[in-house]
mmCIF file of all heavy atoms in Angstrom:
data_model
loop_
_atom_site.group_PDB
_atom_site.id
_atom_site.type_symbol
_atom_site.label_atom_id
_atom_site.label_comp_id
_atom_site.label_asym_id
_atom_site.label_seq_id
_atom_site.Cartn_x
_atom_site.Cartn_y
_atom_site.Cartn_z
ATOM 1 N N SER A 178 0.819 -1.214 0.000
ATOM 2 C CA SER A 178 0.000 0.000 0.000
ATOM 3 C C SER A 178 0.852 1.261 0.000
ATOM 4 O O SER A 178 0.617 2.191 -0.779
ATOM 5 C CB SER A 178 -0.926 -0.008 1.219
ATOM 6 O OG SER A 178 -1.602 1.216 1.347
ATOM 7 N N ASN A 179 1.858 1.292 0.858
ATOM 8 C CA ASN A 179 2.713 2.474 0.975
ATOM 9 C C ASN A 179 3.447 2.796 -0.312
ATOM 10 O O ASN A 179 3.652 3.965 -0.649
ATOM 11 C CB ASN A 179 3.726 2.293 2.102
ATOM 12 C CG ASN A 179 3.102 2.405 3.473
ATOM 13 O OD1 ASN A 179 1.980 2.905 3.619
ATOM 14 N ND2 ASN A 179 3.797 1.930 4.485
ATOM 15 N N HIS A 180 3.844 1.763 -1.048
ATOM 16 C CA HIS A 180 4.706 1.988 -2.214
ATOM 17 C C HIS A 180 3.950 1.941 -3.539
ATOM 18 O O HIS A 180 4.453 2.455 -4.546
ATOM 19 C CB HIS A 180 5.883 1.013 -2.184
ATOM 20 C CG HIS A 180 6.822 1.323 -1.052
ATOM 21 N ND1 HIS A 180 7.901 2.155 -1.200
ATOM 22 C CD2 HIS A 180 6.807 0.958 0.249
ATOM 23 C CE1 HIS A 180 8.528 2.279 -0.043
ATOM 24 N NE2 HIS A 180 7.877 1.560 0.857
ATOM 25 N N ALA A 181 2.748 1.375 -3.547
ATOM 26 C CA ALA A 181 1.902 1.453 -4.745
ATOM 27 C C ALA A 181 1.052 2.722 -4.712
ATOM 28 O O ALA A 181 0.497 3.125 -5.727
ATOM 29 C CB ALA A 181 1.002 0.226 -4.854
ATOM 30 N N GLY A 182 0.948 3.338 -3.527
ATOM 31 C CA GLY A 182 0.129 4.546 -3.383
ATOM 32 C C GLY A 182 -1.350 4.248 -3.457
ATOM 33 O O GLY A 182 -2.108 4.955 -4.122
ATOM 34 N N VAL A 183 -1.775 3.188 -2.756
ATOM 35 C CA VAL A 183 -3.183 2.804 -2.797
ATOM 36 C C VAL A 183 -3.790 2.819 -1.397
ATOM 37 O O VAL A 183 -3.098 2.622 -0.396
ATOM 38 C CB VAL A 183 -3.384 1.399 -3.403
ATOM 39 C CG1 VAL A 183 -2.828 1.339 -4.812
ATOM 40 C CG2 VAL A 183 -2.761 0.313 -2.533
ATOM 41 N N SER A 184 -5.082 3.049 -1.354
ATOM 42 C CA SER A 184 -5.862 2.857 -0.139
ATOM 43 C C SER A 184 -6.435 1.447 -0.215
ATOM 44 O O SER A 184 -7.055 1.073 -1.216
ATOM 45 C CB SER A 184 -6.983 3.891 -0.064
ATOM 46 O OG SER A 184 -7.783 3.669 1.075
ATOM 47 N N LEU A 185 -6.206 0.666 0.842
ATOM 48 C CA LEU A 185 -6.527 -0.758 0.797
ATOM 49 C C LEU A 185 -7.297 -1.163 2.059
ATOM 50 O O LEU A 185 -6.815 -0.972 3.175
ATOM 51 C CB LEU A 185 -5.219 -1.548 0.687
ATOM 52 C CG LEU A 185 -5.257 -3.054 0.501
ATOM 53 C CD1 LEU A 185 -6.034 -3.428 -0.763
ATOM 54 C CD2 LEU A 185 -3.830 -3.592 0.418
ATOM 55 N N HIS A 186 -8.506 -1.679 1.860
ATOM 56 C CA HIS A 186 -9.327 -2.161 2.968
ATOM 57 C C HIS A 186 -9.453 -3.678 2.858
ATOM 58 O O HIS A 186 -9.897 -4.193 1.822
ATOM 59 C CB HIS A 186 -10.720 -1.530 2.921
ATOM 60 C CG HIS A 186 -10.714 -0.068 3.243
ATOM 61 N ND1 HIS A 186 -11.188 0.422 4.441
ATOM 62 C CD2 HIS A 186 -10.277 1.005 2.534
ATOM 63 C CE1 HIS A 186 -11.049 1.743 4.462
ATOM 64 N NE2 HIS A 186 -10.491 2.113 3.309
ATOM 65 N N ILE A 187 -9.055 -4.373 3.923
ATOM 66 C CA ILE A 187 -9.070 -5.837 3.940
ATOM 67 C C ILE A 187 -9.845 -6.307 5.161
ATOM 68 O O ILE A 187 -9.489 -5.973 6.292
ATOM 69 C CB ILE A 187 -7.642 -6.408 3.984
ATOM 70 C CG1 ILE A 187 -6.856 -6.000 2.735
ATOM 71 C CG2 ILE A 187 -7.676 -7.932 4.123
ATOM 72 C CD1 ILE A 187 -5.387 -6.386 2.779
ATOM 73 N N ASP A 188 -10.906 -7.071 4.938
ATOM 74 C CA ASP A 188 -11.712 -7.596 6.032
ATOM 75 C C ASP A 188 -11.946 -9.087 5.830
ATOM 76 O O ASP A 188 -12.459 -9.504 4.779
ATOM 77 C CB ASP A 188 -13.064 -6.877 6.095
ATOM 78 C CG ASP A 188 -12.917 -5.401 6.414
ATOM 79 O OD1 ASP A 188 -12.714 -5.080 7.597
ATOM 80 O OD2 ASP A 188 -12.986 -4.585 5.476
ATOM 81 N N ASN A 189 -11.557 -9.877 6.826
ATOM 82 C CA ASN A 189 -11.957 -11.277 6.844
ATOM 83 C C ASN A 189 -13.276 -11.344 7.595
ATOM 84 O O ASN A 189 -13.333 -11.095 8.803
ATOM 85 C CB ASN A 189 -10.889 -12.142 7.523
ATOM 86 C CG ASN A 189 -11.322 -13.590 7.660
ATOM 87 O OD1 ASN A 189 -11.378 -14.112 8.769
ATOM 88 N ND2 ASN A 189 -11.657 -14.239 6.563
ATOM 89 N N LEU A 190 -14.338 -11.626 6.881
ATOM 90 C CA LEU A 190 -15.684 -11.561 7.449
ATOM 91 C C LEU A 190 -16.032 -12.789 8.280
ATOM 92 O O LEU A 190 -16.821 -12.704 9.217
ATOM 93 C CB LEU A 190 -16.701 -11.365 6.329
ATOM 94 C CG LEU A 190 -16.440 -10.135 5.444
ATOM 95 C CD1 LEU A 190 -17.454 -10.071 4.313
ATOM 96 C CD2 LEU A 190 -16.455 -8.855 6.267
ATOM 97 N N LYS A 191 -15.439 -13.924 7.924
ATOM 98 C CA LYS A 191 -15.639 -15.141 8.710
ATOM 99 C C LYS A 191 -14.570 -16.156 8.331
ATOM 100 O O LYS A 191 -13.953 -16.071 7.277
ATOM 101 C CB LYS A 191 -17.041 -15.725 8.501
ATOM 102 C CG LYS A 191 -17.372 -16.087 7.063
ATOM 103 C CD LYS A 191 -18.774 -16.651 6.926
ATOM 104 C CE LYS A 191 -19.839 -15.591 7.150
ATOM 105 N NZ LYS A 191 -21.201 -16.121 6.876
ATOM 106 N N GLY A 192 -14.364 -17.117 9.211
ATOM 107 C CA GLY A 192 -13.392 -18.162 8.944
ATOM 108 C C GLY A 192 -12.851 -18.763 10.220
ATOM 109 O O GLY A 192 -12.619 -18.053 11.205
ATOM 110 N N HIS A 193 -12.636 -20.098 10.196
ATOM 111 C CA HIS A 193 -12.106 -20.808 11.360
ATOM 112 C C HIS A 193 -10.735 -21.405 11.087
ATOM 113 O O HIS A 193 -10.032 -21.782 12.034
ATOM 114 C CB HIS A 193 -13.068 -21.927 11.782
ATOM 115 C CG HIS A 193 -14.443 -21.441 12.109
ATOM 116 N ND1 HIS A 193 -14.690 -20.584 13.156
ATOM 117 C CD2 HIS A 193 -15.634 -21.673 11.513
ATOM 118 C CE1 HIS A 193 -15.982 -20.317 13.205
ATOM 119 N NE2 HIS A 193 -16.580 -20.962 12.219
ATOM 120 N N ASN A 194 -10.359 -21.493 9.829
ATOM 121 C CA ASN A 194 -9.089 -22.101 9.437
ATOM 122 C C ASN A 194 -8.175 -21.010 8.892
ATOM 123 O O ASN A 194 -8.528 -20.311 7.936
ATOM 124 C CB ASN A 194 -9.357 -23.176 8.374
ATOM 125 C CG ASN A 194 -8.087 -23.850 7.900
ATOM 126 O OD1 ASN A 194 -7.282 -23.237 7.209
ATOM 127 N ND2 ASN A 194 -7.913 -25.104 8.261
ATOM 128 N N ALA A 195 -7.011 -20.836 9.496
ATOM 129 C CA ALA A 195 -6.119 -19.734 9.126
ATOM 130 C C ALA A 195 -5.664 -19.816 7.671
ATOM 131 O O ALA A 195 -5.517 -18.788 6.999
ATOM 132 C CB ALA A 195 -4.899 -19.704 10.056
ATOM 133 N N HIS A 196 -5.438 -21.028 7.176
ATOM 134 C CA HIS A 196 -5.059 -21.190 5.768
ATOM 135 C C HIS A 196 -6.176 -20.657 4.872
ATOM 136 O O HIS A 196 -5.918 -19.914 3.914
ATOM 137 C CB HIS A 196 -4.791 -22.672 5.475
ATOM 138 C CG HIS A 196 -4.263 -22.957 4.109
ATOM 139 N ND1 HIS A 196 -3.164 -23.750 3.879
ATOM 140 C CD2 HIS A 196 -4.673 -22.568 2.875
ATOM 141 C CE1 HIS A 196 -2.929 -23.833 2.581
ATOM 142 N NE2 HIS A 196 -3.848 -23.125 1.945
ATOM 143 N N HIS A 197 -7.394 -21.011 5.186
ATOM 144 C CA HIS A 197 -8.529 -20.534 4.397
ATOM 145 C C HIS A 197 -8.685 -19.019 4.518
ATOM 146 O O HIS A 197 -8.974 -18.339 3.520
ATOM 147 C CB HIS A 197 -9.825 -21.209 4.861
ATOM 148 C CG HIS A 197 -9.870 -22.669 4.590
ATOM 149 N ND1 HIS A 197 -10.867 -23.489 5.090
ATOM 150 C CD2 HIS A 197 -9.046 -23.481 3.876
ATOM 151 C CE1 HIS A 197 -10.666 -24.723 4.687
ATOM 152 N NE2 HIS A 197 -9.563 -24.756 3.957
ATOM 153 N N GLN A 198 -8.516 -18.488 5.719
ATOM 154 C CA GLN A 198 -8.611 -17.037 5.910
ATOM 155 C C GLN A 198 -7.602 -16.310 5.026
ATOM 156 O O GLN A 198 -7.954 -15.375 4.303
ATOM 157 C CB GLN A 198 -8.354 -16.678 7.380
ATOM 158 C CG GLN A 198 -9.445 -17.083 8.338
ATOM 159 C CD GLN A 198 -9.039 -16.770 9.782
ATOM 160 O OE1 GLN A 198 -8.160 -17.411 10.345
ATOM 161 N NE2 GLN A 198 -9.678 -15.774 10.362
ATOM 162 N N ALA A 199 -6.351 -16.737 5.093
ATOM 163 C CA ALA A 199 -5.301 -16.086 4.307
ATOM 164 C C ALA A 199 -5.558 -16.222 2.818
ATOM 165 O O ALA A 199 -5.408 -15.256 2.055
ATOM 166 C CB ALA A 199 -3.937 -16.666 4.670
ATOM 167 N N GLU A 200 -5.952 -17.405 2.395
ATOM 168 C CA GLU A 200 -6.139 -17.623 0.963
ATOM 169 C C GLU A 200 -7.275 -16.771 0.405
ATOM 170 O O GLU A 200 -7.165 -16.230 -0.696
ATOM 171 C CB GLU A 200 -6.380 -19.112 0.680
ATOM 172 C CG GLU A 200 -6.288 -19.438 -0.795
ATOM 173 C CD GLU A 200 -6.062 -20.908 -1.076
ATOM 174 O OE1 GLU A 200 -5.480 -21.614 -0.229
ATOM 175 O OE2 GLU A 200 -6.469 -21.352 -2.169
ATOM 176 N N THR A 201 -8.356 -16.616 1.168
ATOM 177 C CA THR A 201 -9.438 -15.757 0.675
ATOM 178 C C THR A 201 -8.981 -14.300 0.589
ATOM 179 O O THR A 201 -9.387 -13.576 -0.319
ATOM 180 C CB THR A 201 -10.690 -15.856 1.571
ATOM 181 O OG1 THR A 201 -10.368 -15.501 2.921
ATOM 182 C CG2 THR A 201 -11.293 -17.240 1.531
ATOM 183 N N ILE A 202 -8.128 -13.870 1.508
ATOM 184 C CA ILE A 202 -7.612 -12.502 1.470
ATOM 185 C C ILE A 202 -6.765 -12.270 0.228
ATOM 186 O O ILE A 202 -6.960 -11.292 -0.500
ATOM 187 C CB ILE A 202 -6.788 -12.207 2.741
ATOM 188 C CG1 ILE A 202 -7.706 -12.104 3.959
ATOM 189 C CG2 ILE A 202 -5.968 -10.932 2.585
ATOM 190 C CD1 ILE A 202 -6.969 -12.171 5.283
ATOM 191 N N PHE A 203 -5.834 -13.158 -0.037
ATOM 192 C CA PHE A 203 -4.933 -12.964 -1.176
ATOM 193 C C PHE A 203 -5.665 -13.126 -2.508
ATOM 194 O O PHE A 203 -5.383 -12.405 -3.469
ATOM 195 C CB PHE A 203 -3.735 -13.915 -1.080
ATOM 196 C CG PHE A 203 -2.658 -13.423 -0.155
ATOM 197 C CD1 PHE A 203 -2.714 -13.676 1.199
ATOM 198 C CD2 PHE A 203 -1.574 -12.707 -0.648
ATOM 199 C CE1 PHE A 203 -1.715 -13.227 2.066
ATOM 200 C CE2 PHE A 203 -0.570 -12.250 0.198
ATOM 201 C CZ PHE A 203 -0.644 -12.509 1.554
ATOM 202 N N LYS A 204 -6.623 -14.043 -2.573
ATOM 203 C CA LYS A 204 -7.408 -14.187 -3.799
ATOM 204 C C LYS A 204 -8.260 -12.942 -4.038
ATOM 205 O O LYS A 204 -8.341 -12.438 -5.167
ATOM 206 C CB LYS A 204 -8.313 -15.418 -3.707
ATOM 207 C CG LYS A 204 -7.597 -16.744 -3.893
ATOM 208 C CD LYS A 204 -8.565 -17.907 -3.738
ATOM 209 C CE LYS A 204 -7.888 -19.234 -4.057
ATOM 210 N NZ LYS A 204 -8.789 -20.392 -3.830
ATOM 211 N N ALA A 205 -8.911 -12.444 -2.986
ATOM 212 C CA ALA A 205 -9.739 -11.257 -3.133
ATOM 213 C C ALA A 205 -8.890 -10.051 -3.506
ATOM 214 O O ALA A 205 -9.312 -9.198 -4.309
ATOM 215 C CB ALA A 205 -10.514 -10.992 -1.839
ATOM 216 N N PHE A 206 -7.692 -9.971 -2.947
ATOM 217 C CA PHE A 206 -6.784 -8.882 -3.314
ATOM 218 C C PHE A 206 -6.448 -8.955 -4.800
ATOM 219 O O PHE A 206 -6.467 -7.935 -5.505
ATOM 220 C CB PHE A 206 -5.512 -8.961 -2.471
ATOM 221 C CG PHE A 206 -4.452 -7.969 -2.883
ATOM 222 C CD1 PHE A 206 -4.603 -6.615 -2.625
ATOM 223 C CD2 PHE A 206 -3.300 -8.395 -3.523
ATOM 224 C CE1 PHE A 206 -3.626 -5.698 -3.009
ATOM 225 C CE2 PHE A 206 -2.318 -7.493 -3.904
ATOM 226 C CZ PHE A 206 -2.485 -6.139 -3.654
ATOM 227 N N GLY A 207 -6.147 -10.146 -5.302
ATOM 228 C CA GLY A 207 -5.851 -10.301 -6.726
ATOM 229 C C GLY A 207 -7.011 -9.859 -7.599
ATOM 230 O O GLY A 207 -6.829 -9.138 -8.582
ATOM 231 N N ARG A 208 -8.232 -10.261 -7.229
ATOM 232 C CA ARG A 208 -9.409 -9.891 -8.014
ATOM 233 C C ARG A 208 -9.672 -8.388 -7.955
ATOM 234 O O ARG A 208 -9.996 -7.765 -8.971
ATOM 235 C CB ARG A 208 -10.645 -10.639 -7.487
ATOM 236 C CG ARG A 208 -10.610 -12.141 -7.712
ATOM 237 C CD ARG A 208 -10.759 -12.533 -9.146
ATOM 238 N NE ARG A 208 -12.035 -12.122 -9.710
ATOM 239 C CZ ARG A 208 -12.450 -12.483 -10.914
ATOM 240 N NH1 ARG A 208 -11.717 -13.264 -11.678
ATOM 241 N NH2 ARG A 208 -13.613 -12.044 -11.378
ATOM 242 N N ALA A 209 -9.543 -7.792 -6.764
ATOM 243 C CA ALA A 209 -9.774 -6.353 -6.627
ATOM 244 C C ALA A 209 -8.718 -5.566 -7.396
ATOM 245 O O ALA A 209 -9.025 -4.558 -8.048
ATOM 246 C CB ALA A 209 -9.760 -5.964 -5.153
ATOM 247 N N LEU A 210 -7.481 -6.030 -7.323
ATOM 248 C CA LEU A 210 -6.389 -5.379 -8.053
ATOM 249 C C LEU A 210 -6.644 -5.430 -9.556
ATOM 250 O O LEU A 210 -6.473 -4.432 -10.267
ATOM 251 C CB LEU A 210 -5.078 -6.084 -7.699
ATOM 252 C CG LEU A 210 -3.773 -5.396 -8.052
ATOM 253 C CD1 LEU A 210 -3.633 -4.054 -7.361
ATOM 254 C CD2 LEU A 210 -2.598 -6.317 -7.669
#
């Protein structure tokens, strides 16, 4: 964010498995980007 000059909002809305939580974040980031 600091070096691309972007405002970035990331929310994990639900999840019990950390692998799944992280993967949904990175996938959603790719799609939003």
